[in-house]
Amino acid sequence: MPPADSHGMPPAGDGGIDWGEHSTWTWQGLAVHWRHLAPADGGSATAGTVVLLHGFAAASGHWRRNAMVLAGAGWHVFALDLIGFGASDQPGPHRRRRLDNRLWARQVQAFLAEVVGHPAVLVGHSLGGLVALTCATLFPGWVGAVVAAPLPDPALLLGPRSWPPRRRPWRRRLKRWGVIVLCRLLPLELLVPLLAHSPLLALGIQSAYARPVIGDQELHRLIARPARRPGAVRSLRAMSIAMALRPHAATAPTLLQRLQRPLLLIWGQGDQLVPIQVAEQIQRLRPDLPVVDLEHCGHCPHDEVPEHFNAALLRWLAATPEVRAEGRAVVWADQPGPLPKP
């Protein structure tokens, strides 16, 4: 059993779905839980490095049915709990630390630089897909390819042509004030513990799956345990405020137009949370992007139909000419330029 982390929890604080070697890394004064799984041959990887990024309310343990397969195919597999989730720290609102996809992208880039030590392929589920896209756009020198399964963002329902003109400063201040007041008035201190300790949580988890998962105790613990931590409410409030106040430049439509790395979209045909019509909107923005739609699954294709997900992922990576391996590091066919400032 791995040692407890700084919160007094086992590093598998996402519920005990224990794969890989657990560690804690400190970034900007925050404790970050992460995992590593070496390739099955025990030596140098034949394919490179992949970093797995979980979705909203989940954690690195959600890749329970994918990490071993990727390692078996020769990949070095890393996964981390994004700030606010899993066993990583759960900070509250902070003027200089907004919990949105830009902060998580900076967290991932720092992880690649300080822990992994070289560029990698980013594979993200839901929110993790948006974080992967953001990181690849802001820091292209650290990301060779992106897989988003799926890619959520309310802005994708509108597209950049539907955005209103830039608001005047007083209107932006009014919107900011309104969002902050609304999020602070929401009785999250009552709602989050109620949800985390009631059967409603099981129903919420089921909404993300097409197949029955009520009774999957591992999955239930993965979601429930972080939600029961003391910092969960303040962190959720911070995320709600920051994500609602993002500039257009931090939304998926703009990021997709700026992206210069290969991107694969994987979607569950039965996804009720982010319907497959969103993928169609993405293809209108970027017709060059491939989409793999998987049958008999909902919002979590990597966990619900892992055999099909893993096969599609590995097949695409093998066929992507920009990604090839030499030893443990990934070498890009085109040399990345200098890193832009976040």
Side-chain angles (χ1 to χ4, degrees):
M1 176 93 176
D5 66 11
S6 59
H7 306 291
M9 303 168 58
D14 48 22
I17 301 179
D18 194 14
W19 63 263
E21 180 181 352
H22 301 262
S23 298
T24 300
W25 163 63
T26 301
W27 177 69
Q28 295 190 359
L30 300 169
V32 176
H33 169 245
W34 62 278
R35 306 168 186 243
H36 172 240
L37 194 62
D41 60 14
S44 62
T46 59
T49 300
V50 61
V51 176
L52 306 174
L53 303 175
H54 62 81
F56 180 79
S60 53
H62 205 197
W63 299 101
R64 55 184 175 168
R65 294 173 175 148
N66 318 106
M68 292 291 292
V69 175
L70 291 170
W75 290 83
H76 273 275
V77 181
F78 291 84
L80 71 160
D81 294 349
L82 298 174
I83 292 298
F85 298 102
S88 292
D89 274 348
Q90 296 177 321
H94 191 283
R95 294 185 65 180
R96 296 186 178 181
R97 186 182 287 152
R98 296 183 174 91
L99 292 184
D100 63 15
N101 53 302
R102 294 170 296 173
L103 177 133
W104 292 314
R106 291 194 291 272
Q107 177 193 356
V108 172
Q109 183 274 328
F111 181 78
L112 290 169
E114 298 177 22
V115 178
V116 177
H118 53 258
V121 174
L122 301 183
V123 179
H125 166 240
S126 193
L127 175 64
L130 178 61
V131 173
L133 168 64
T134 309
C135 188
T137 303
L138 295 180
F139 307 101
W142 285 99
V143 181
V146 176
V147 178
L151 178 61
D153 196 321
L156 288 169
L157 300 175
L158 299 175
R161 295 181 181 178
S162 302
W163 286 336
R166 182 175 176 81
R167 295 181 178 91
R168 295 181 178 180
W170 70 270
R171 288 181 176 270
R172 295 199 298 272
R173 287 194 294 269
L174 181 62
K175 177 184 177 182
R176 177 177 178 80
W177 179 84
V179 168
I180 292 175
V181 169
L182 177 61
C183 289
R184 288 180 176 173
L185 287 177
L186 288 174
L188 296 180
E189 287 80 4
L190 297 175
L191 295 177
V192 172
L194 176 64
L195 179 63
H197 291 87
S198 76
L200 293 175
L201 179 61
L203 296 177
I205 296 172
Q206 182 60 68
S207 68
Y209 287 77
R211 298 177 180 178
V213 293
I214 294 179
D216 185 336
Q217 296 303 315
E218 276 194 344
L219 181 61
H220 189 276
R221 288 193 299 271
L222 182 140
I223 305 298
R225 190 170 183 182
R228 294 170 180 171
R229 287 173 54 190
V233 172
R234 71 184 182 205
S235 192
L236 176 60
R237 182 170 281 117
M239 294 175 204
S240 301
I241 293 173
M243 291 295 287
L245 295 177
R246 290 176 301 156
H248 294 321
T251 60
T254 300
L255 295 169
L256 284 165
Q257 291 179 329
R258 292 179 54 193
L259 180 69
Q260 298 180 350
R261 294 304 187 201
L263 169 63
L264 171 67
L265 298 170
I266 302 180
W267 231 277
Q269 290 184 358
D271 193 337
Q272 297 182 11
L273 301 183
V274 185
I276 199 169
Q277 287 75 19
V278 176
E280 298 170 0
Q281 174 65 17
I282 293 174
Q283 286 195 304
R284 283 192 282 271
L285 291 170
R286 288 286 305 268
D288 58 308
L289 297 180
V291 178
V292 175
D293 57 316
L294 299 178
E295 298 179 342
H296 312 300
C297 65
H299 187 62
C300 305
H302 68 293
D303 193 51
E304 194 165 8
V305 288
E307 61 283 354
H308 299 298
F309 176 90
N310 295 333
L313 171 60
L314 291 170
R315 184 166 54 247
W316 182 76
L317 290 174
T320 302
E322 290 85 352
V323 181
R324 63 183 188 271
E326 290 182 5
R328 293 182 57 178
V330 175
V331 179
W332 313 120
D334 54 327
Q335 294 300 318
L339 298 180
K341 294 182 180 180

